[in-house]
Amino acid sequence: MTGTITETRAVTRDDLEALRADVRAFLRDEIDRGAFEPDVDSWMTGFDPEFSRRLGERGWLGMTIPQAYGGRGRTATERFVITEELLAHGAPVAAHWIADRQMAPGILANGTEEQKQRYLPGIAAGTSFFAIGMSEPDAGSDLAAVRTRAVAGGDSWTISGTKVWTTGAHLAHAMVLLARTDGRPEDRHEGLSQLVIDLPHPDIEIRPLESIDGQAHFNEVIFHDAVVDSSALLGERGKGWSQVMRELAFERSGPERYLSTMPLLRAWADELRTHGATEEQRVTLGTLTARAWALRSMSLQVADELSAGRRPDVLAAMVKDLGSTFEGDLVDAIRSSSGVAARCSGGSRMERLMAQSVLHTPAFTLRGGTNEILRGIVARGLGIR
């Protein structure tokens, strides 16, 4: 069984269009019957386990996981079509998002046979949710400065330290943790390892962090000498840095990096179609649409590179940098051109979407690595000093 995601069969344009039509019809039906209301940034805040389960039943999760592990054995391009439609419609996908996006390929690439059999079927079914244990209070964007430590003790690991900005940890069934297993913090990339930690755990404290919109999907996670089995090690001891770097290509390059505010753009386009548009508004709408299309092409290229087993780290960083900047620019442009006021409650759908967008915008260029850090990755990758 291969440990990487590969294209398993040829897919035609007609196949992709048929799949897209199926997903759109499903989402229109879900919206029409009131199962969800489209929201901005729904992949971060729209936690709906039942919706995730329905996607799993339709075979729209775990698309690239081999069938032997409960997945669909489909292509990364088909998965892209599905995630693109889910994001564009503002569907509540936060419950399964992290697990399906990067934990599944990470476990598939680095996990033991036992770990694959244990975790991958639940991810594909939309019933197993994951958190990412990377960021720390004193590390900021300097991921290599993590101080959380896992000490080996025969048949167990004892973990101490703190993670922060851990999305969905209070609702997750497991966390993939980056910790120092060897050496000192000064050793930087050397001596880091990944572990899969089942949640909840009696010695792991999860504290909610309230964001500016009053929601608490972020968390601080504190490990009070938490003991886990030695089998929790994911991949090779001391190789956590290289594993995480491969994993981050999945995190940084997906369509969520430029489609978080797409429901706002679509709602505005609907209003212009109904009530008419000025020349300036048509230009603004066209410019935003063109930028989104260019970013889509870049993101698709990353998906192709990942499917071929290559490491498109630089292109993934570019997608995240340009995409998250675009998301904020979109909010500013529509707010200026439309004159819509942001209202957290009451008001029109456009006013509520605008409020969500304004409140979420500050996080766009921070999560998944700050844009300043990503530009350094791009510069080094291009040989710029």
Side-chain angles (χ1 to χ4, degrees):
M1 184 60 61
T2 180
T4 59
I5 293 178
T6 57
E7 301 286 347
T8 55
R9 62 184 181 85
V11 180
T12 68
R13 181 180 296 273
D14 288 344
D15 292 334
L16 295 177
E17 289 305 312
L19 176 61
R20 188 179 298 278
D22 286 345
V23 178
R24 285 181 176 176
F26 167 77
L27 291 172
R28 282 196 296 267
D29 180 67
E30 290 278 298
I31 294 171
D32 290 345
R33 69 184 185 85
F36 74 88
E37 182 175 332
D39 280 336
V40 166
D41 221 16
S42 60
W43 66 274
M44 285 288 289
T45 62
F47 194 93
D48 186 341
E50 283 303 306
F51 182 81
S52 295
R53 182 186 57 78
R54 291 197 294 276
L55 291 179
E57 289 175 347
R58 288 178 169 268
W60 291 343
L61 298 181
M63 291 285 287
T64 58
I65 297 174
Q67 293 179 356
Y69 300 121
R72 317 303 168 186
R74 307 289 283 274
T75 67
T77 309
E78 288 169 295
R79 181 184 180 277
F80 189 97
V81 166
I82 292 171
T83 56
E84 189 175 43
E85 290 299 324
L86 291 169
L87 292 166
H89 284 81
V93 295
H96 69 264
W97 195 260
I98 289 171
D100 185 63
R101 178 185 67 188
Q102 71 196 90
M103 296 300 97
I107 292 171
L108 185 62
N110 304 306
T112 62
E113 185 64 25
E114 178 185 356
Q115 288 170 333
K116 294 174 185 177
Q117 295 286 357
R118 180 174 184 178
Y119 296 110
L120 294 178
I123 294 175
T127 57
S128 182
F129 312 139
F130 274 70
I132 306 171
M134 288 190 192
S135 299
E136 296 190 1
D138 298 322
S141 292
D142 185 9
L143 184 59
V146 298
R147 295 179 179 273
T148 295
R149 182 169 288 275
V151 178
D155 60 354
S156 66
W157 294 94
T158 300
I159 306 168
S160 59
T162 301
K163 296 293 179 179
V164 75
W165 311 123
T166 313
T167 305
H170 58 307
L171 301 166
H173 302 107
M175 168 192 289
V176 173
L177 175 76
L178 180 66
R180 181 161 295 284
T181 53
D182 302 279
R184 304 167 302 168
E186 293 77 13
D187 295 328
R188 305 289 291 166
H189 304 157
E190 302 298 323
L192 297 173
S193 302
Q194 287 185 298
L195 298 97
V196 186
I197 312 298
D198 291 331
L199 296 174
H201 187 289
D203 297 317
I204 299 177
E205 181 182 0
I206 299 176
R207 299 176 179 174
L209 297 173
E210 188 172 302
S211 54
I212 193 172
D213 60 357
Q215 298 187 54
H217 52 274
F218 293 126
N219 298 274
E220 181 180 40
V221 182
I222 305 169
F223 295 83
H224 298 286
D225 292 329
V227 177
V228 299
D229 193 82
S230 59
S231 63
L233 181 67
L234 178 64
E236 187 177 347
R237 178 171 176 171
K239 299 298 183 182
W241 182 260
S242 60
Q243 292 176 193
V244 163
M245 288 302 100
R246 288 194 295 271
E247 185 182 299
L248 285 173
F250 291 96
E251 178 177 346
R252 290 171 173 165
S253 63
E256 69 270 30
R257 295 306 173 186
Y258 59 91
L259 289 181
S260 295
T261 50
M262 185 57 60
L264 175 65
L265 181 62
R266 294 184 63 171
W268 188 47
D270 288 342
E271 289 212 349
L272 294 181
R273 186 180 300 110
T274 301
H275 303 295
T278 65
E279 179 64 22
E280 182 273 334
Q281 288 174 329
R282 285 195 293 270
V283 170
T284 299
L285 178 61
T287 301
L288 292 172
T289 303
R291 288 180 65 183
W293 193 259
L295 286 162
R296 179 180 188 267
S297 297
M298 293 177 67
S299 187
L300 271 169
Q301 184 177 344
V302 176
D304 291 341
E305 293 286 307
L306 291 169
S307 295
R310 293 187 284 269
R311 294 183 57 179
D313 298 349
V314 173
L315 183 56
M318 291 176 67
V319 171
K320 196 278 179 185
D321 177 17
L322 295 172
S324 57
T325 300
F326 165 72
E327 290 179 325
D329 290 348
L330 185 153
V331 178
D332 291 340
I334 295 179
R335 194 177 191 184
S336 175
S337 185
S338 68
V340 171
R343 298 183 187 277
C344 292
S345 60
S348 67
R349 175 169 172 258
M350 268 292 294
E351 290 170 333
R352 293 193 298 274
L353 288 172
M354 181 62 73
Q356 291 175 358
S357 301
V358 169
L359 293 174
H360 284 237
T361 294
F364 292 161
T365 59
L366 297 177
R367 61 196 185 194
T370 66
N371 283 22
E372 291 77 10
I373 292 294
L374 294 172
R375 288 165 191 168
I377 293 172
V378 173
R380 288 191 296 274
L382 297 177
I384 300 172
R385 299 187 182 277

